[in-house]
Amino acid sequence: MRIHNETHKLANTGWLRAAVLGGNDGIVSTSSLVLGIAAAHGTQHSAVIAAVASLVAGALSMAAGEYVSVSVQAESERSSLKQEKLELEQDPVGELKELTNIYISRGLTPELAKQVAEQLMAKDDLGSHARDELGISEAFTARPMLAAFVSGCGFSLGSALPLTVTIFSPPQSLQLCICVFGLVFLAVLGAVSTRLAGSTRILHGVIRLTLWSALAMLVTSLVGMALGTTAP
């Protein structure tokens, strides 16, 4: 007898979203900053310093922002579960009807829906309502520390790429190198993240990530040119 094993990518969505967001922001922010400085006729040394500052400040900011954001989500989930537990204690019959109606709306007959609701609530009443009424499950519950760590690391790795290019590029072609390598890095990130998400639309993921990022770098360059000074 053949055992059918299924592997789905949905359990990875939390950390994958934080990692892609951090990596994308690291590449775009640092690349745009270097482009702005270069367009304003700043020195390569000043661009390197700005890129390092961008890496450190950006990683800490991303980690802190992600932690606060996901913490709010986690607190909301805990509050909803606390309220649901109270409702189960005060009105178990009404909660049974509520869960039954949810299964009926999903296509089960009233008799079968009631049987399923009764059996699931007998085993884990709060877990059943959390999953099917509130949409909260252990696989997708908010994890602030994990999100902060992954987002901060993602930004650091993403920012380190244009920083490296800034350090080793010839001064006269710094803008060109940052543009080319920045878009290459973004394309690779788009392809990898799309693949990790289980999608086969690799090109779509690449275009989606690079298009808006390229626009951000272009705008920053234009601002640098508009506000720049003549190099000594």
Side-chain angles (χ1 to χ4, degrees):
M1 179 179 178
R2 181 181 177 184
I3 300 177
H4 179 58
N5 293 321
E6 292 187 352
T7 56
H8 297 283
K9 306 293 185 179
L10 288 177
N12 299 330
T13 53
W15 69 263
L16 182 59
R17 179 197 64 83
V20 172
L21 178 62
N24 177 75
D25 201 21
I27 295 172
V28 175
S29 297
T30 305
S31 296
S32 298
L33 184 59
V34 172
L35 282 174
I37 292 174
H41 306 294
T43 65
Q44 186 171 15
H45 179 68
S46 63
V48 171
I49 294 175
V52 172
S54 173
L55 189 156
V56 176
L60 294 175
S61 176
M62 285 291 295
E66 195 72 15
Y67 179 81
V68 171
S69 175
V70 180
S71 292
V72 171
Q73 179 185 343
E75 290 172 0
S76 176
E77 290 178 357
R78 286 193 294 267
S79 177
S80 297
L81 289 173
K82 183 178 180 180
Q83 179 182 348
E84 192 64 30
K85 183 178 181 180
L86 181 62
E87 292 174 354
L88 285 166
E89 294 173 353
Q90 295 178 343
D91 186 16
V93 175
E95 290 299 303
L96 174 62
K97 290 181 180 179
E98 187 175 35
L99 194 61
T100 299
N101 289 331
I102 290 175
Y103 295 143
I104 291 174
S105 68
R106 294 179 181 177
L108 297 184
T109 62
E111 296 78 11
L112 181 57
K114 184 178 181 181
Q115 291 179 19
V116 172
E118 288 175 339
Q119 292 183 32
L120 289 177
M121 287 186 64
K123 182 179 180 181
D124 182 8
D125 55 355
L126 181 59
S128 301
H129 281 268
R131 180 181 60 252
D132 294 317
E133 180 185 347
L134 303 177
I136 301 174
S137 66
E138 184 177 354
F140 300 104
T141 189
R143 295 179 174 87
M145 288 301 297
L146 176 61
F149 176 77
V150 171
S151 183
C153 289
F155 188 98
S156 298
L157 293 174
S159 184
L161 296 174
L163 170 59
T164 303
V165 174
T166 303
I167 293 173
F168 293 103
S169 293
Q172 65 274 13
S173 57
L174 177 58
Q175 286 180 274
L176 177 61
C177 289
I178 285 292
C179 287
V180 172
F181 281 100
L183 293 177
V184 170
F185 295 148
L186 289 166
V188 172
L189 177 61
V192 171
S193 60
T194 302
R195 189 69 186 89
L196 288 175
S199 175
T200 57
R201 303 175 64 187
I202 305 297
L203 183 59
H204 177 76
V206 170
I207 294 175
R208 177 180 58 198
L209 199 63
T210 56
L211 182 61
W212 294 106
S213 301
L215 180 61
M217 290 190 287
L218 174 62
V219 171
T220 309
S221 296
L222 294 177
V223 171
M225 292 174 62
L227 302 178
T229 58
T230 304

